[in-house]
Amino acid sequence: MSAPRPAPRSAVRLWDGRMWPCAGRYAGVPVFRYGWAPSGLFTVRQLAALGLRPAGQDVAGWLVWGPANRPRWAYLFRLDLAAPKRPMTRARWVAIERCNAAQRICPSCGEDAGYRIPRSLGECTECAESTRGPRYAADGEEWAA
C-alpha cells in the first residue's frame, strides 16, 4: 500500500517560501493528509507536549486522516508563532478546587459524597440506590432493571 498522493496541481506556498503539495483547500486553508504536513506545522496536542500554545494565531492548515466517509480533522498551527503555555497560578488552582468541590455535593441529601457525582445518576450512589433500588443483588450478580 503506497502513501496517499496529493491532489493534482494542488500545491501551496508556505510562510517560508517553500512550495508544498497538499490535498486541496478547505475554507481557504490547505488540507494535508496524514504524514504529508510540512515541518513547522503542529497540532494543539503537539504544541502542548512542547510546552507551547497557539497564542491566537489563525489556523495554518488542516490535518485529515481516516476513512473518506468519516474523516477526522485537526487544526495545524505554526511553531514559530506559538507562545509558551501560561503557568497555573494560585487563583486558578483555587477556582478548579471550588468547581470540583461543587460537583461533590449531592443535590438530594446535600452532603459531600467524597467523589464527583456521576451525571448519569445526578445524585450520590446512596441516594440513587434508595430511590431506584439496589444496583446489585445480594449474591453479587447484576440486578436487572
Side-chain angles (χ1 to χ4, degrees), residues 16-92:
D16 57 3
R18 293 181 291 169
M19 291 299 291
W20 200 269
C22 66
R25 289 183 174 270
Y26 180 75
V29 180
V31 176
F32 301 102
R33 292 193 176 106
Y34 184 81
W36 282 79
S39 59
L41 293 182
F42 289 83
T43 63
V44 172
R45 287 190 179 196
Q46 290 171 333
L47 288 175
L50 297 173
L52 301 171
R53 61 186 172 91
Q57 63 177 294
D58 291 332
V59 175
W62 295 83
L63 181 66
V64 63
W65 70 97
N69 60 345
R70 283 187 301 139
R72 304 279 313 262
W73 296 81
Y75 296 132
L76 292 173
F77 297 99
R78 289 175 47 182
L79 180 64
D80 59 339
L81 298 178
K85 288 175 100 177
R86 295 184 196 113
M88 285 292 286
T89 62
R90 178 74 185 134
R92 291 173 105 186

Side-chain angles (χ1 to χ4, degrees), residues 135-144:
R135 294 179 68 191
Y136 296 98
D139 59 354
E141 292 186 18
E142 193 169 327
W143 178 66

